[in-house]
Amino acid sequence: MPTLLIKNTTILVTMDDHHREIPDGGLFIRDGFIEKVGPAGELPTSADEVLDLSGYVVLPGLVNTHHHFYQTLTRAVPAAQDANLFNWLKTLYPIWARLTPEDIYISTQTALAELALSGCTTASDHLYLFPNGSRLDDEIAAAREIGVRIQAARGSMSLGESKGGLPPDSVVDSEESILRDSQRLIETYHDPKPGSFVQIVLAPCSPFSVTGELMRQSAVLAREYHVHLHTHLAETEDEQVFCLQKFGYRPVSYMQSVDWVGQDVWFAHAVYVDNDEVKTFARHGCGVAHCPTSNMRLASGIAPVKEYLAAGVKVGLGVDGSASNDGSHLLAEARQAMLLSRLREGITGFSLSNDPSRKLMTARAALELATRGGAAVLGRSDIGSLEAGKCADFFAVNLNRLDYAGALHDPISAIVFCQPGRVDYTVVGGRYVVKEGQLVTLDQPKLVNQHNRAAKRLLRHL
Ligand SMILES: [Zn+2]
């Protein structure tokens, strides 16, 4: 691969351990990795390709830690617009039961296109139903074509309505077939090396859709192959009631009972946790995928992000499935995280407090969650910051636009405080996915057309 020199940026945000922000900063990239990062005077003056980014802010590629790509086909479904989680799911399960392999492929491209246009370079997706011959392979093929790194979480559901679970029996699978397919996917696709574009994660869907035995067996299999574990947890009060009634535990204790705590585990949402459970996450190294928009959309609640960070819990951001967001804009999610955290402070008396130790989440802290925070949650040390030896994953935003007019005294905060739009460049492993504001790895108008046709077909009997 040719060398690439990025130069003359207005400011380059490294997110390294020293939080360096380098005016007139640049990157020298070779074979998909960063060889040098620094001000212009410390970088080579030439390369096979030189990209002058004067007037742009450059940041590490954003890391999305929780999504369901297929749900881009069921955004804003009227019957599911104003429901809480369990009713929203019950409305959508029968529609999702009609998904085909082609739907998985198309929806993956749509979600990743949106994510890339918002600065995302690595995304974890949680696919947990496989109707009509659908496979995780369909998603991986689509991700490879667009060129964004993927942590493909092999989801599963085995606890249907007839056994006391939430989903209809028509969308659950046998535990034997789930485990067999999980093993096949790891052996076929999982690449643990630095710079990997595909990693497999085992991800039984939630306490109310799989059995404890499948949780246990998935953990055994994941640890045998050194892959990570992921599930939804403590998302709503309904789930807490379900866990207490069905298993006799609160959600976090239930996870401990099935051996689901450790450095290799991260949970989506984790809203309903008490102080001891926050400490449990910290002690065992569990990560959290914070999904503020989804938590607001479904009226689930507000995750205690400040407490997690204070306790040393790894926290990243997730846009969550597009049926509960209903977008895949990761920079916008950083803004939501900052704003929701501030709202929580307000509810707990910030405006009346003169305690100088009480601090609001800053724009930079929100960007940190979206970059190195997400990388830590996914267990990846090769992404999340712009440093020598790390993947050449970054995005750039032109500051000379209406959205940032009047905010250039602090361009880094401006891209969070001001309404985020589309980014101008997204580069993954030294390759352009977005260039001059346009996707370069797929035909966007054609994709939108295909996607809308597929969505119409899925909903035609409603
Ligand atoms: Zn989710």
Side-chain angles (χ1 to χ4, degrees):
M1 198 189 288
T3 53
L4 172 63
L5 174 66
I6 307 299
K7 67 174 191 178
N8 295 340
T9 70
T10 297
I11 193 150
L12 182 136
V13 181
T14 64
M15 287 288 168
D16 66 11
D17 291 345
H18 306 289
H19 293 89
R20 282 192 306 157
E21 296 171 355
I22 308 173
D24 196 22
L27 302 166
F28 185 77
I29 294 159
R30 189 192 299 276
D31 296 330
F33 291 87
I34 299 167
E35 196 167 281
K36 278 193 169 156
V37 52
E42 294 177 15
L43 295 173
T45 52
S46 64
D48 297 317
E49 183 180 354
V50 178
L51 179 64
D52 188 323
L53 288 181
S54 43
Y56 291 73
V57 59
V58 170
L59 290 106
L62 305 181
V63 179
N64 182 35
T65 59
H66 185 67
H67 203 327
H68 312 285
F69 294 158
Y70 73 88
Q71 292 182 10
T72 51
L73 290 160
T74 54
R75 298 199 248 210
V77 170
Q81 283 177 13
D82 307 311
N84 65 12
L85 176 68
F86 279 14
N87 290 326
W88 173 88
L89 281 169
K90 284 190 210 165
T91 302
L92 292 170
Y93 283 139
I95 302 171
W96 296 337
R98 298 184 200 132
L99 287 165
T100 64
E102 193 186 2
D103 293 336
I104 301 295
Y105 189 91
I106 292 169
S107 56
T108 297
Q109 293 220 312
T110 298
L112 286 175
E114 277 191 280
L115 284 167
L117 284 163
S118 75
C120 175
T121 54
T122 300
S124 181
D125 187 64
H126 189 180
L127 180 60
Y128 54 82
L129 23 74
F130 301 89
N132 309 307
S134 305
R135 301 193 306 167
L136 198 63
D137 310 59
D138 306 315
E139 174 175 312
I140 292 168
R144 279 183 166 160
E145 196 174 317
I146 193 165
V148 172
R149 298 183 204 281
I150 185 172
Q151 306 286 117
R154 203 296 180 190
S156 51
M157 297 200 292
S158 67
L159 192 66
E161 265 175 330
S162 63
K163 291 183 191 161
L166 191 75
D169 289 0
S170 59
V171 293
V172 306
D173 294 308
S174 78
E175 301 192 348
E176 189 195 348
S177 69
I178 290 165
L179 291 166
R180 200 180 329 114
D181 192 52
S182 300
Q183 183 171 4
R184 174 189 71 82
L185 288 161
I186 297 168
E187 291 179 350
T188 308
Y189 293 109
H190 184 68
D191 173 9
K193 292 191 295 295
S196 164
F197 270 80
V198 180
Q199 296 192 347
I200 301 294
V201 174
L202 298 192
C205 187
S206 62
F208 50 83
S209 59
V210 300
T211 65
E213 187 51 25
L214 182 62
M215 297 297 291
R216 268 189 213 95
Q217 292 299 325
S218 296
V220 169
L221 185 62
R223 284 168 183 145
E224 191 181 323
Y225 283 90
H226 305 290
V227 303
H228 278 60
L229 290 161
H230 178 52
T231 193
H232 295 93
L233 196 77
E235 181 174 358
T236 63
E237 284 184 294
D238 279 346
E239 180 196 320
Q240 189 167 294
V241 170
F242 179 95
C243 286
L244 284 165
Q245 286 178 350
K246 178 102 178 153
F247 309 116
Y249 291 114
R250 287 168 56 83
V252 174
S253 298
Y254 175 49
M255 288 298 106
Q256 289 181 281
S257 78
V258 290
D259 205 13
W260 264 67
V261 286
Q263 292 280 353
D264 53 355
V265 180
W266 89 98
F267 300 114
H269 306 297
V271 173
Y272 289 89
V273 293
D274 62 25
N275 289 339
D276 286 341
E277 291 163 343
V278 169
K279 285 182 199 150
T280 299
F281 285 179
R283 191 166 62 248
H284 293 281
C286 303
V288 170
H290 175 44
C291 308
T293 301
S294 172
N295 294 158
M296 288 189 270
R297 161 56 150 102
L298 297 171
S300 300
I302 307 178
V305 173
K306 193 175 175 186
E307 286 84 341
Y308 282 137
L309 295 174
V313 176
K314 298 174 287 190
V315 181
L317 297 183
V319 297
D320 201 4
S322 289
S324 68
N325 185 313
D326 299 15
S328 307
H329 197 300
L330 197 47
L331 198 51
E333 207 64 28
R335 185 170 190 255
Q336 295 281 52
M338 179 183 79
L339 296 177
L340 188 60
S341 167
R342 290 174 176 220
L343 177 61
R344 191 164 183 272
E345 289 299 305
I347 293 166
T348 56
F350 181 85
S351 65
L352 296 171
S353 170
N354 290 318
D355 178 355
S357 69
R358 281 192 74 162
K359 298 264 193 304
L360 297 179
M361 183 185 284
T362 64
R364 282 171 171 78
L367 288 170
E368 186 168 340
L369 294 180
T371 53
R372 56 185 289 156
V377 165
L378 298 184
R380 292 195 63 155
S381 56
D382 57 337
I383 58 173
S385 58
L386 299 178
E387 300 177 70
K390 297 224 175 185
C391 295
D393 294 4
F394 63 92
F395 71 99
V397 177
N398 184 351
L399 295 164
N400 185 23
R401 65 213 287 174
L402 185 62
D403 316 70
Y404 306 122
L408 299 185
H409 11 269
D410 184 357
I412 300 166
S413 291
I415 69 160
V416 179
F417 273 98
C418 301
Q419 184 65 42
R422 296 266 158 93
V423 307
D424 297 285
Y425 290 90
T426 299
V427 172
V428 187
R431 288 199 174 94
Y432 294 104
V433 177
V434 176
K435 191 173 189 179
E436 296 174 355
Q438 301 296 317
L439 282 163
V440 294
T441 51
L442 56 75
D443 181 341
Q444 190 178 321
K446 185 176 159 203
L447 174 66
V448 171
N449 203 2
Q450 285 176 326
H451 190 91
N452 280 329
R453 271 208 312 269
K456 195 171 173 187
R457 195 198 76 250
L458 280 175
L459 271 84
R460 75 177 164 219
H461 297 301
L462 283 185

